[in-house]
């Protein structure tokens, strides 16, 4: 079930809690001692920054799918650490990412350390609205010495301009991948292609350990399917329903969204059921197909214009509509897909044009949640946002 550590960072005692959360997520992900230490240090630095520069915020630690398929065609799982605040924002993001930069008289190693230790690190900040930082850490790459002070993996990230439309910093992961013939006696291998990245953020209601929402992506050939499931209600039974949907998705990702929903309906019988939305992107044709049942919202941006993708009423596993209609759209014109559960306010709408950052999907998800809520208006249910974005041109 989706285990999320949600740490409200309001005083210095919570920095230790953030470190423990990262260590718990690292244990769940099976990271070794060195990568666990790296995750703990990143969490410590992010939590410290929340207190020093934003008068507090929240740190979320969870184990998530890697943002893109592995070279073997499977799907690795990584620790994701997200720091979110409603603080004053960062006026000079490039300077803040440099080692030695400090506005408080410290050594100024915080964000630079996070960037070096994480496999992916992305930052988005808007003066007057707050900052989002996301770090992902997996098993150490072969030959890497992933301990505090070690050099990070991959080239330096780009950084955004500090306005609402700026793209966040991002460090490479691989893009989507194209199958190639399997070696004799071996399983199918995959070679990179220009593709997409998937990511998300999940916040349990009331600080619970498990969320009734779950997101996942799966790949079949040149197609990638992104799914967001919202188990009915919240708590362990809701989490059991959404987890069953994730498990079933990986068994039928080769099917169309409507056919996947039919399979999920059977798989979720005996659970509370769930609202589910799915989008399948065929990278060879550039066409997106969508279908959904229940109140998981879907918004697609193409050419700077947002459109609703409509789901049918019902509950997967309990009541499925007789017919399932699929919507289709071209994946072009700076595309961005956002799926969200009903934990967001009912009147939430994406900003016009390119108001959401698109370089890292988890940052986009975090900015969506941050800007739809506030410390005085917390989320009212389990809340999850899943995002599909093109691989940025600076990434391989």
């Amino acid at each position: 079930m989706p285990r999320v550590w949600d740490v409200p960072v309001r005083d210095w005692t919570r920095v230790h809690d953030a470190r423990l959360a990262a260590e718990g997520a690292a244990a769940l992900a099976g990271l070794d001692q060195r990568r666990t230490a790296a995750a703990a240090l990143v969490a410590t630095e992010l939590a410290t920054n929340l207190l020093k520069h934003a008068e507090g915020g929240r740190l979320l630690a969870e184990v998530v799918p890697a943002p893109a398929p592995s070279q073997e065609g499977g799907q690795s799982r990584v620790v994701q650490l997200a720091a979110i605040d409603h603080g004053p924002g960062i006026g000079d993001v490039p300077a803040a990412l440099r080692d030695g930069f400090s506005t408080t008289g410290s050594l100024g190693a915080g964000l630079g350390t996070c960037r070096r230790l994480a496999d992916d690190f992305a930052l988005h900040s808007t003066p007057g609205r707050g900052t989002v930082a996301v770090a992902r850490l997996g098993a150490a790459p072969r030959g890497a010495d992933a301990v505090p002070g070690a050099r990070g993996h991959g080239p330096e990230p780009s950084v955004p301009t500090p306005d609402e439309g700026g793209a966040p910093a991002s460090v490479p992961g691989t893009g989507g991948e194209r199958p190639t013939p399997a070696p004799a006696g071996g399983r199918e291998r995959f070679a990179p292609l220009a593709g997409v990245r998937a990511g998300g953020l999940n916040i349990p209601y009331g600080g619970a350990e498990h969320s009734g929402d779950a997101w996942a992506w799966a790949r079949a050939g040149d197609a990638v399917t992104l799914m967001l499931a919202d188990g009915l209600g919240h708590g362990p039974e809701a989490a059991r329903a959404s987890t069953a949907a994730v498990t079933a998705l990986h068994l039928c990702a080769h099917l169309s969204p409507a056919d996947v929903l039919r399979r999920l309906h059977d798989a979720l019988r005996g659970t509370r059921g769930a609202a589910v939305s799915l989008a399948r992107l065929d990278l060879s044709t550039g066409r997106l197909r969508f279908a959904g049942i229940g109140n998981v919202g879907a918004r697609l941006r193409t050419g700077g214009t947002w459109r609703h993708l409509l789901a049918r009423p019902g509950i997967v596993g309990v009541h499925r509509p007789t017919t399932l209609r699929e919507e289709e759209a071209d994946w072009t014109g700076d595309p961005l897909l956002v799926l969200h559960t009903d934990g967001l306010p009912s009147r939430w709408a994406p900003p016009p044009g390119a108001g959401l950052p698109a370089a890292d999907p988890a940052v986009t998800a975090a900015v969506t949640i941050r800007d739809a809520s506030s410390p005085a208006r917390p989320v009212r249910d389990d809340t999850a946002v899943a995002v599909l974005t093109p691989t940025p041109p600076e990434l391989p």
Side-chain angles (χ1 to χ4, degrees):
M1 295 189 291
R3 174 70 167 95
V4 183
W5 288 261
D6 182 2
V7 182
V9 182
R10 299 301 179 193
D11 58 66
W12 289 101
T13 64
R14 289 297 194 161
V15 174
H16 178 66
D17 294 339
R19 183 182 185 91
L20 292 178
E23 291 173 346
L28 188 61
L31 301 193
D32 62 20
Q33 184 176 1
R34 288 182 171 181
R35 293 305 277 165
T36 297
L41 180 54
V42 170
T44 298
E45 296 292 350
L46 291 177
T48 298
N49 278 342
L50 288 174
L51 290 169
K52 284 184 177 180
H53 306 294
E55 298 183 355
R58 73 194 314 162
L59 185 131
L60 296 157
E62 57 181 320
V63 180
V64 302
S70 71
Q71 191 70 11
E72 293 295 326
Q75 186 180 85
S76 60
R77 294 178 65 78
V78 299
V79 173
Q80 178 173 286
L81 304 170
I84 305 172
D85 69 65
H86 291 269
I90 299 173
D92 190 344
V93 172
L97 289 171
R98 290 197 297 266
D99 284 335
F101 177 84
S102 175
T103 60
T104 60
S106 67
L107 293 177
L111 292 179
T113 296
C114 296
R115 187 171 67 172
R116 285 195 308 276
L117 293 181
D119 300 316
D120 290 280
F121 182 76
L123 181 72
H124 180 79
S125 189
T126 305
R129 300 195 70 175
T131 299
V132 165
V134 173
R136 284 184 289 266
L137 300 93
R142 184 175 300 175
D145 187 18
V147 296
R151 188 66 186 162
H153 319 299
E156 297 294 318
S158 60
V159 294
T161 57
D163 55 52
E164 184 62 25
S170 183
V171 178
T174 55
E177 306 190 359
R178 186 184 305 277
T180 56
R187 60 178 181 154
E188 185 181 47
R189 296 182 65 86
F190 294 81
L193 58 76
V196 293
R197 286 161 63 87
L201 199 71
N202 198 344
I203 303 180
Y205 177 64
E209 288 189 359
H210 298 286
S211 174
D213 298 345
W215 69 272
W217 64 262
R219 181 230 174 154
D222 286 348
V224 174
T225 299
L226 180 68
M227 182 193 76
L228 182 56
D230 180 355
L232 197 63
H234 52 81
E237 290 304 309
R240 188 166 74 89
S242 59
T243 300
V246 170
T247 301
L249 171 67
H250 290 287
L251 300 177
C252 56
H254 59 288
L255 300 176
S256 70
D259 286 336
V260 171
L261 284 172
R262 295 184 181 96
R263 294 286 185 93
L264 264 59
H265 183 70
D266 293 335
L268 268 63
R269 292 184 186 275
T271 73
R272 285 185 177 182
V276 180
S277 284
L278 301 110
R280 189 174 197 264
L281 174 62
D282 189 329
L283 292 167
S284 65
T285 64
R287 292 288 289 174
L288 184 89
R289 300 171 67 183
F290 170 85
I293 297 175
N295 59 347
V296 172
R299 312 288 179 92
L300 174 66
R301 186 186 74 195
T302 55
T305 301
W306 290 93
R307 62 178 278 195
H308 282 274
L309 301 177
L310 300 178
R312 298 291 304 275
I315 303 172
V316 178
V318 178
H319 173 70
R320 178 175 64 83
T322 304
T323 59
L324 286 171
R325 182 174 66 90
E326 291 186 349
E327 291 194 59
E328 293 194 33
D330 288 324
W331 185 255
T332 186
D334 189 27
L336 178 65
L337 175 70
V338 177
L339 306 180
H340 65 89
T341 62
D342 61 354
L344 288 188
S346 59
R347 294 183 179 181
W348 174 81
L356 283 178
D360 188 289
V363 168
T364 304
V367 169
T368 298
I369 292 175
R370 182 201 67 189
D371 290 351
S373 62
S374 73
R377 187 184 60 190
V379 295
R380 56 186 174 82
D381 195 356
D382 297 324
T383 303
V385 175
V387 175
L388 195 67
T389 70
T391 302
E394 67 268 19
L395 302 188

